[in-house]
Amino acid sequence: MQISTTINGKTYSHDIEPRISLAHYLREILDLTGTHIGCDTSGCGACTVNLNGMAVKSCTLLAVQADGGEITTIEGMADGNTMHPIQEAFKEHHGLQCGFCTPGMVMTAADIIKNNPNPTEEEIRHGLEGNFCRCTGYHNIVKSIQHAAEKLNS
Ligand code: FES
Ligand code: FES
């Protein structure tokens, strides 16, 4: 099946099998391996990307469902060699350890801040309910997102 998408500002067209997930399309066909697959069942959030302005779990979305859509992946967050303020905040506040969950955390953080520019700690924790981290205990992730929101608002 033919699909066409705009990903990180670039247009792609491919003839793909209808059964392929968006996560596999990004990773295996486009080589955008920053989108991670932790569970493949919508549980961990490692595969989170932005589709048409909303954070979605790309492991449980078919690539054909994204046909005609605009997608941002973690590769599209930085501006060349300059990290996105959210990425910068994760670095500054040690919001990651192994980094496996981090692309999904950053994409979810962007969604949280977009919908609520000044989130409270509780609102951030609620917004992260669909994203699992096995390393950090979440505390520094929350701090990173609070700091990123401040930066983006200043
Ligand atoms: S890989 Fe998609 S939610 Fe875990
Ligand atoms: S930093 Fe290792 S899973 Fe989150």
Side-chain angles (χ1 to χ4, degrees), residues 35-97:
T35 297
H36 291 167
I37 298 175
C39 67
D40 231 355
T41 52
S42 222
C44 75
C47 64
T48 305
V49 300
N50 188 291
L51 171 63
N52 297 329
M54 274 178 60
V56 297
K57 292 180 175 173
S58 61
C59 70
T60 38
L61 201 70
L62 294 169
V64 294
Q65 291 176 286
D67 183 28
E70 281 208 24
I71 297 166
T72 305
T73 68
I74 190 67
E75 289 89 349
M77 294 298 278
D79 181 7
N81 289 331
T82 305
M83 284 192 283
H84 186 281
I86 297 174
Q87 293 171 308
E88 194 68 51
F90 270 69
K91 182 179 159 220
E92 281 171 18
H93 293 272
H94 309 289
L96 65 149
Q97 287 183 24

Side-chain angles (χ1 to χ4, degrees), residues 19-150:
R19 65 182 178 87
I20 193 170
S21 72
L22 179 58
H24 283 92
Y25 175 65
L26 293 169
R27 290 178 56 82
E28 289 165 20
I29 297 180
L30 300 180
D31 210 21
L32 293 170
T33 54
T35 297
H36 291 167
I37 298 175
C39 67
D40 231 355
T41 52
S42 222
C44 75
C47 64
T48 305
V49 300
N50 188 291
L51 171 63
N52 297 329
M54 274 178 60
V56 297
K57 292 180 175 173
S58 61
C59 70
T60 38
L61 201 70
L62 294 169
V64 294
Q65 291 176 286
D67 183 28
E70 281 208 24
I71 297 166
T72 305
T73 68
I74 190 67
E75 289 89 349
M77 294 298 278
D79 181 7
N81 289 331
T82 305
M83 284 192 283
H84 186 281
I86 297 174
Q87 293 171 308
E88 194 68 51
F90 270 69
K91 182 179 159 220
E92 281 171 18
H93 293 272
H94 309 289
L96 65 149
Q97 287 183 24
C98 79
F100 190 83
C101 71
T102 313
M105 288 289 181
V106 169
M107 299 312 293
T108 299
D111 194 63
I112 291 170
I113 296 170
K114 181 172 94 60
N115 293 322
N116 179 2
N118 288 301
T120 62
E121 178 180 341
E122 200 185 339
E123 287 166 339
I124 293 170
R125 289 184 182 276
H126 180 65
L128 291 177
E129 278 174 356
N131 290 71
F132 291 172
C133 176
R134 293 182 175 193
C135 308
T136 64
Y138 297 91
H139 186 65
N140 285 353
I141 293 175
V142 174
K143 268 189 1 196
S144 302
I145 297 173
Q146 278 178 317
H147 188 72
E150 284 163 20

